[in-house]
Structures are given as C-alpha cells and as structure tokens.
C-alpha cells in the first residue's frame, strides 16, 4: 500500500493520466461488442514497439503510409518563421526522491532503445522528449515547468525554466492543484504585463506526455479573437480534454482566461471533489462550458473549430483530432490520422511509444515518417 502511494505521488501528470485512461478503456470496452481484436489482446501491455497496419488508408484526408514511410508530406514546410508573436509552453511536473526509496523502484529498469530507466528516470525521459519535440517544431518557444517547491529535479536545457508554486500536490489534490497552478501562473503574468506592457507571449498549457509536431503559433493568427482555447472531442461525458489549454498573451485575455479557470476551479470544488477526483477537471470544464444557455453540444461531434462567449470569456474550441490527437482507446472507431495533426497525446499506456517516436525521429529527422510509426502502433498499450 505504501509503495502504491509512492508510485502515485512521485510524478504529477503521468500516472494519473494512466489511471484515468484505464478507466476510459474499461468503459469503452464495455460499450462496444464489435471489436476486431479480442479484449485480452487490447489489454496486453508490451515492452517493445508493436506495429500493425496503419488505419485510414485510402481515405483522402488521412495520412497515407507504406510501413513507416509517409506518402503525404504535410509537415515542416509552412513558413513558421513568419509568425512574430512568441509562444511559451507551460506544463506541471513534480518528482520526489522519496518515491524511489524502495529497492524495487531502484532496481527495476525499463529498456527503451539503448537506454535503461528506473521509474523516475522514465518520467524524466518523457519530460525530455516533450521538450525535444518543442525544440524541433517551435525552436524559439520557451518551456516553463510549474512545480512543487519541494520537488527534486532539475532540467539543464536552454529555454526551459522551472517555476515553483506553493500548493498541495498530494495524489487526491493533483488535478485541483494543476488548475490552481495555472491560475497562479496567469496571475503572475498579468502582474508582470502591467509593469512591462507590450511584451506579449501566448501560453499553451499542456500535459507533458504530448509531442508538438507543427507550429502552433498559427492558432493565435488564424483565430484573432479568442481569450482561451480548449480541445474537444466527440465524447458525451467528457467532451473537453484538459491536456491542452491555450491562452492569448494580452493582459485582457490573460485576465479573462484566469476568471474562466477560477470558475472551473469553483465548480470542481463544489461538484466533483467526491464524485471522481481523477476526472474532476475535465468534468468541471465541460460543466462550465455547458452552463452557457443554449450551448449547442452537437458541435462536439464535428471536427470544426468554433468560438463561444462563456461567462465573458471568448473560448475557442479546437478539435482534438488536430490539436490533441490520440488513437481511440479500447474498441472505439479508428479512422486513421488527419493529415494536419499538430499535437500527438501519448495518453495512458503510450509513454513508451513517445520515447520510441523521439528515437525514431532522431535518426530519421522526418516528422511524417514518425507519424506513420505512431499511426501503425495504433491502440497498442505499452508497459508505461
Ligand atoms: C496523400 O498521399 C496519397 C498517396 O500518395 C495521395 O493519393 C493523396 O492525394 C495525398 N493526399 C494529399 C492531400 O496530398
Ligand atoms: C534528489 O535527487 C536529485 C537528483 O537526482 C539529487 O541531486 C539530490 O541530491 C537528491 N536529494 C536527496 C535528498 O536525496
Ligand atoms: C517577456 O516575457 C517573457 C516571459 O513571458 C520573459 O521571459 C522575458 O524576460 C520578458 N522580456 C522582457 C524584455 O521583459
């Protein structure tokens, strides 16, 4: 029991998301009786890369692959340097030394490629891969890591800074603390802007198990009027994924984004503390969004971006299919990967695939080919 607690405590986002996904997959499995693969196979976890046929072949708006060779070259050529505004990524991450104190945690090593990691090293490897992908897709972007002042890690990378925020990082408060940290961060930026107006940096708050594979600065150009952006999917219970939240860097937008998140925090504390602490933030987000009178939730079933004014904040809804793509879990329908995918989310048991993808990219220097690798891996679950 003690060890379990350690495992859940030592790191912020990852194990939590792992647990979360486990819940989702069980639910999805129950819903579908027509699955190609037997459930035992879906639930088996692998310690090596498992590739199968790529989904979506023959569909004109989906990535076409021959093995891990991409036939469509849609990434990397769209004049990214033309966007003037800067964008910074913000993620919450904590690691405690005490979580690897048991002999097991120190001894059990996981091999990925030529590297070997214990639990803590594995989480650090995911964080490093997250940073690596940003450095490729958006080399001028800074990465800001919000963390517990008591956390035991350091990151020696250019353009990466740690930002300690006092709070309650215990297991059952994690998702709550994350929203609090976002609010505290936005508050500090708002104060800074009042001293140095004109220094505009847009912020994208993400989970650290995500690979940014294209320039996201265009969001702020293509949609000039939003304060805060969320990603949506066609899922009745949890239409909003909390892993990606973009905030425009103007003082006004930062203030409105902060007010919106304060509403989410309030709803979370009032309604979702007991119900489900792991899903709480997503349920609270959906609840605030749907509190808008006459909100048309049918739009979540299409993959077209739209904007809504919610309690005074202009909220842009971006499709997960492009900005938070993950293959469907369990037996959900899988129609392949959109050609213009910009962010891949290695939710749940896909962290190994994230590291393998980075290794593949490091030797091929080819994002579309790497996307074929990810696509061919499909719903495979891995050992971490
Ligand atoms: C993607 O590649 C396939 C195979 O080469 C091709 O038929 C299709 O037109 C391409 N789609 C786009 C949008 O370029
Ligand atoms: C915690 O881990 C870090 C990084 O491995 C190390 O530098 C530090 O000395 C450790 N602290 C303690 C108290 O063990
Ligand atoms: C502008 O803001 C960024 C963070 O958003 C900060 O790192 C940088 O130092 C600021 N530049 C100036 C000149 O204030």
């Amino acid at each position: 029991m003690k060890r379990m607690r350690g495992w859940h405590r030592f790191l912020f986002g990852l194990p939590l998301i792992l647990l979360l996904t486990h819940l989702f997959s069980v639910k999805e499995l129950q819903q579908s009786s027509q699955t190609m693969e037997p459930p035992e196979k879906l639930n088996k976890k692998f310690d090596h890369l498992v590739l199968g046929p790529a989904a979506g072949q023959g569909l004109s708006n989906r990535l076409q692959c021959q093995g891990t060779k991409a036939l469509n070259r849609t990434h990397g050529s769209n004049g990214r340097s033309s966007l003037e505004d800067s964008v910074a990524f913000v993620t919450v991450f904590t690691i405690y030394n005490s979580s690897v104190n048991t002999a097991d945690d120190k001894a059990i090593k996981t091999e990925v490629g030529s590297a070997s990691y214990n639990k803590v090293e594995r989480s650090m490897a995911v964080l490093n891969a997250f940073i690596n992908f940003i450095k490729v897709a958006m080399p001028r972007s800074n990465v800001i890591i919000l963390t517990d002042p008591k956390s035991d890690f350091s990151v020696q990378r250019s353009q990466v800074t740690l930002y300690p925020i006092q709070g309650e990082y215990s297991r059952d408060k994690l998702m709550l603390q994350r929203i609090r940290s976002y609010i505290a961060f936005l508050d500090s930026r708002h104060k800074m802007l009042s001293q140095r107006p004109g220094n505009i940096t847009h912020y994208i708050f993400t989970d650290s198990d995500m690979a940014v594979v294209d320039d996201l600065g265009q969001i702020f150009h293509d949609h000039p009027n939003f304060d805060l952006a969320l990603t949506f999917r066609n899922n009745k219970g949890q239409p909003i994924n909390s892993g990606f939240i973009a905030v425009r860097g103007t003082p006004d937008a930062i203030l409105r984004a902060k007010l919106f998140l304060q509403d989410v925090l309030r709803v979370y504390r009032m309604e979702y503390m007991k119900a489900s602490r792991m899903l709480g933030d997503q349920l609270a987000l959906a609840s605030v969004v749907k509190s808008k009178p006459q909100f048309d939730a049918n739009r979540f079933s299409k993959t077209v971006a739209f904007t809504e004014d919610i309690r005074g904040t202009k909220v842009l809804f971006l499709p997960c299919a492009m900005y938070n793509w993950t293959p469907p879990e369990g037996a959900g329908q899988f129609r392949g990967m959109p050609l213009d995918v910009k962010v891949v989310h290695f939710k749940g048991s896909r962290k190994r695939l994230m590291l393998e993808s980075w290794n593949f990219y490091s030797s091929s220097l080819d994002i579309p080919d790497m996307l074929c690798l990810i696509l061919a891996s499909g719903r495979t679950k891995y050992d971490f």
Side-chain angles (χ1 to χ4, degrees), residues 86 88 142 144 161 185 189 192-193 196 199-203:
S86 59
N142 290 320
I144 300 161
T161 48
F185 177 79
R189 294 299 123 160
M192 195 188 77
L193 274 173
R196 299 174 206 244
N199 182 11
I200 300 298
T201 302
H202 305 304
Y203 297 104

Side-chain angles (χ1 to χ4, degrees), residues 58-297:
L59 300 179
S60 64
N61 56 353
R62 302 280 137 163
L63 182 64
Q64 304 297 302
C65 302
Q66 248 161 27
T68 55
K69 196 83 212 143
L71 302 177
N72 303 101
R73 325 292 314 170
T74 49
H75 287 77
S77 54
N78 34 359
R80 53 176 55 127
S81 54
S82 66
L83 304 178
E84 300 136 32
D85 295 348
S86 59
V87 176
F89 288 85
V90 186
T91 193
V92 171
F93 189 89
T94 71
I95 281 187
Y96 305 97
N97 286 8
S98 56
S99 54
V100 273
N101 273 350
T102 67
D104 265 9
D105 288 346
K106 278 190 188 132
I108 296 175
K109 293 273 187 170
T110 308
E111 315 278 329
V112 183
S114 58
S116 165
Y117 307 106
N118 68 23
K119 274 184 191 172
V120 163
E121 291 162 344
R122 221 159 62 186
S123 307
M124 285 306 296
V126 168
L127 180 68
N128 273 308
F130 168 73
I131 296 167
N132 294 342
F133 279 117
I134 290 171
K135 285 185 177 293
V136 170
M138 299 178 67
R140 292 181 307 161
S141 286
N142 290 320
V143 177
I144 300 161
I145 303 172
L146 310 183
T147 191
D148 184 354
K150 298 192 201 91
S151 196
D152 302 299
F153 75 104
S154 62
V155 182
Q156 308 297 334
R157 308 277 307 258
S158 62
Q159 293 169 272
V160 179
T161 48
L162 294 192
Y163 188 101
I165 293 179
Q166 287 289 351
E168 276 191 86
Y169 292 81
S170 63
R171 183 193 169 197
D172 55 346
K173 300 272 170 58
L174 282 176
M175 296 324 259
L176 200 63
Q177 180 57 43
R178 177 157 84 162
I179 301 178
R180 285 196 176 119
S181 297
Y182 288 180
I183 291 169
F185 177 79
L186 288 173
D187 194 47
S188 79
R189 294 299 123 160
H190 190 254
K191 292 205 172 95
M192 195 188 77
L193 274 173
S194 62
Q195 284 153 18
R196 299 174 206 244
N199 182 11
I200 300 298
T201 302
H202 305 304
Y203 297 104
I204 301 181
F205 297 84
T206 67
D207 289 349
S208 46
D209 56 351
M210 287 181 152
V212 175
V213 296
D214 207 351
D215 183 16
L216 300 179
Q218 43 77 30
I219 297 173
F220 301 93
H221 278 247
D222 296 354
H223 307 276
N225 293 318
F226 75 90
D227 300 317
L228 170 139
L230 301 171
T231 53
F232 71 90
R233 56 198 172 183
N234 189 13
N235 177 324
K236 270 214 169 62
Q238 288 112 36
I240 310 293
N241 180 272
S242 56
F244 182 107
I245 300 177
V247 174
R248 185 178 302 281
T250 58
D252 195 46
I254 288 182
L255 194 61
R256 287 173 195 281
K258 189 185 113 182
L259 292 173
F260 181 87
L261 291 180
Q262 280 171 332
D263 269 343
V264 173
L265 184 64
R266 198 172 307 127
V267 170
Y268 190 155
R269 295 175 65 186
M270 270 166 34
E271 293 176 35
Y272 298 111
M273 286 303 278
K274 283 240 170 68
S276 173
R277 64 188 174 196
M278 289 182 293
L279 304 174
D281 63 338
Q282 304 202 141
L283 296 173
L285 271 166
S287 169
V288 169
V289 164
K290 288 180 178 167
S291 72
K292 157 131 192 158
Q294 273 114 47
F295 183 83
D296 178 11

